[in-house]
Every structure is written in C-alpha cells, then in structure tokens.
Amino acid sequence: DTEVTQTPKHLVMGMTNKKSLKCEQHMGHRAMYWYKQKAKKPPELMFVYSYEKLSINESVPSRFSPECPNSSLLNLHLHALQPEDSALYLCASSPAGRRSGQPQHFGDGTRLSIL
Amino acid sequence: EDQVTQSPEALRLQEGESSSLNCSYTVSGLRGLFWYRQDPGKGPEFLFTLYSAGEEKEKERLKATLTKKESFLHITAPKPEDSATYLCAVSTEGVGGTSYGKLTFGQGTILTVHP
C-alpha cells in the first residue's frame, strides 16, 4: 500500500462530463504533483503545488483544473476532455524547502478513459 | 536542456542471471538521482536516491551506483517477482529559486525475469 491515496482507481467519462480526481497524503509533505502517464511512457509533469500554491503549470489545457484545498489534499477537476486525454493520472508528494533533491512518492493513479 | 537516457529498453533474464541497467544523464545542477520500480497499472514505487558520485545504495537484490555521468542499477540473482519497469529520474535546481525539484524521467527499462 502506498502512502499517497488516489480516488477513484478507474473512471470512465464522456466528453461532456465534469468529474474530479482526488489525492490525499498524510506524510506532512508540502509539495504535491499531478502527472499524466500514457502506456509505455514515463510520467509527464502537469502541475506542481508548493505550500498549497500553484508553482508550475506545464502548459496544460484549461480543461484540466487543479486545486489544493489544504496541505494534505490535491484535486484535479476535469471538464470537456478529449479521447487523447485517456491515460493514467498520477499524484505524487515530496518534502518542499531548500533541499529540493527529495524523492517524490507516488500514488497508484486513476485510470481515466474518455468515451 | 536536461536529458536522461536509459538502456536497454527491454531486458530478459533467466532467474538467477545477474545484470545491470544503465541511466545516463546530462543535467545542470543535479540535486538527486532516483530509481523507481513500476508494476503494470500501478504508480512508480520509490527505490533509491543518490546524491553524489561514488555513492551506492542497496536493497535486497538491488544495488544502485552513481558516477558524474551515469547510474547503474545492478540486479543480483533476480527472481520473477523482480519483473517490472525500472525508471530513472533526476531532480535539478528548482526553477526561479522555488523550493521543489522538477523530475526529468528516462524512458524506462522493462525487465522480465523468467523462472
């Protein structure tokens, strides 16, 4: 079992639906991340939150909207997605601060399928 | 631009046949090099962090080493349960002085160990 919990594990949605992915960690980490991973490819960074503030948006389309309600929770709101957005969405967390060489710890992801 | 290259892309071993995976990197301001294991349908599982040339870390049948240009993941007497994709990633200086380290991943090595 990982220490980063993601829900739901699987999600099927139509292109007009609105849904949200959720991520929770209780390791006291103050940096949290969203990644997208396609089959047989490494994870691709989407967003980074540091101390509950958005630090990086890797030019992600606006149909993906992140939210960090508190230091333990991270959400990804989805709206009007395209079939090419089908992928495994991973959440990760790490300590923040000056020692940026700390490992990120990943959840098991949400498998998203867009019909 | 930071680059991470893993080789081979795929490796098939017989149980008990030791081997090594390679991760070559070209980065500025290395903060840490990380090895992860990823099983199908799961998130990456953290294995090791290496910070400086000459450093070595061990865990069960795995040993990671680091030079100024590459890292090796040595697998001694592998078992079928070691079959997975192994990902190498580097963390570099935080952008604009911010307090996180962006990960750059290699493409991964798919390891299959036959009984």
Side-chain angles (χ1 to χ4, degrees):
Chain A
D1 290 342
T2 66
E3 296 179 85
V4 177
T5 303
Q6 292 187 242
T7 56
K9 293 188 183 302
H10 303 276
L11 180 61
V12 179
M13 57 187 288
M15 289 189 286
T16 59
N17 291 159
K18 287 185 179 181
K19 295 286 185 182
S20 297
L21 309 185
K22 298 185 183 299
C23 174
E24 186 170 5
Q25 59 90 12
H26 293 289
M27 293 181 282
H29 292 166
R30 302 303 296 273
M32 296 186 76
Y33 312 78
W34 279 116
Y35 288 86
K36 173 182 178 180
Q37 187 176 28
K38 301 285 267 185
K40 300 189 184 301
K41 296 290 186 182
E44 295 177 34
L45 183 65
M46 299 174 71
F47 302 103
V48 180
Y49 275 83
S50 180
Y51 295 98
E52 295 87 66
K53 293 184 179 180
L54 184 64
S55 297
I56 282 186
N57 176 342
E58 290 285 275
S59 302
V60 179
S62 60
R63 57 186 183 269
F64 295 90
S65 176
E67 177 194 20
C68 190
N70 60 54
S71 61
S72 300
L73 294 174
L74 187 66
N75 298 322
L76 185 63
H77 303 297
L78 314 173
H79 174 56
L81 294 193
Q82 303 298 308
E84 61 265 27
D85 296 323
S86 297
L88 181 67
Y89 287 83
L90 295 163
C91 173
S93 70
S94 74
R98 294 179 63 81
R99 294 182 63 194
S100 60
Q102 296 296 311
Q104 295 178 20
H105 296 266
F106 288 81
D108 279 337
T110 294
R111 174 69 62 188
L112 177 65
S113 298
I114 307 300
L115 299 179
Chain B
E1 182 180 336
D2 298 338
Q3 287 192 330
V4 179
T5 303
Q6 291 187 245
S7 62
E9 291 183 12
L11 181 62
R12 295 178 179 271
L13 299 174
Q14 289 296 126
E15 185 172 2
E17 179 187 3
S18 301
S19 188
S20 297
L21 282 56
N22 178 263
C23 172
S24 299
Y25 62 92
T26 305
V27 300
S28 56
L30 179 72
R31 287 302 187 109
L33 185 142
F34 309 96
W35 283 99
Y36 289 88
R37 168 195 171 128
Q38 187 172 24
D39 294 301
K42 300 285 190 179
E45 175 190 351
F46 169 68
L47 295 174
F48 303 110
T49 306
L50 300 166
Y51 290 109
S52 57
E55 191 174 0
E56 299 182 351
K57 295 276 181 72
E58 283 189 72
K59 179 182 178 181
E60 296 181 354
R61 295 177 292 282
L62 300 177
K63 179 180 178 180
T65 61
L66 182 66
T67 72
K68 289 185 178 180
K69 294 183 178 181
E70 58 191 353
S71 177
F72 291 93
L73 184 66
H74 307 279
I75 303 176
T76 302
K79 298 182 178 182
E81 53 262 41
D82 294 322
S83 298
T85 296
Y86 289 85
L87 294 165
C88 172
V90 297
S91 173
T92 55
E93 297 285 339
V95 175
T98 51
S99 58
Y100 58 83
K102 182 177 177 180
L103 286 185
T104 301
F105 281 91
Q107 293 297 306
T109 293
I110 302 171
L111 174 66
T112 305
V113 182
H114 296 284

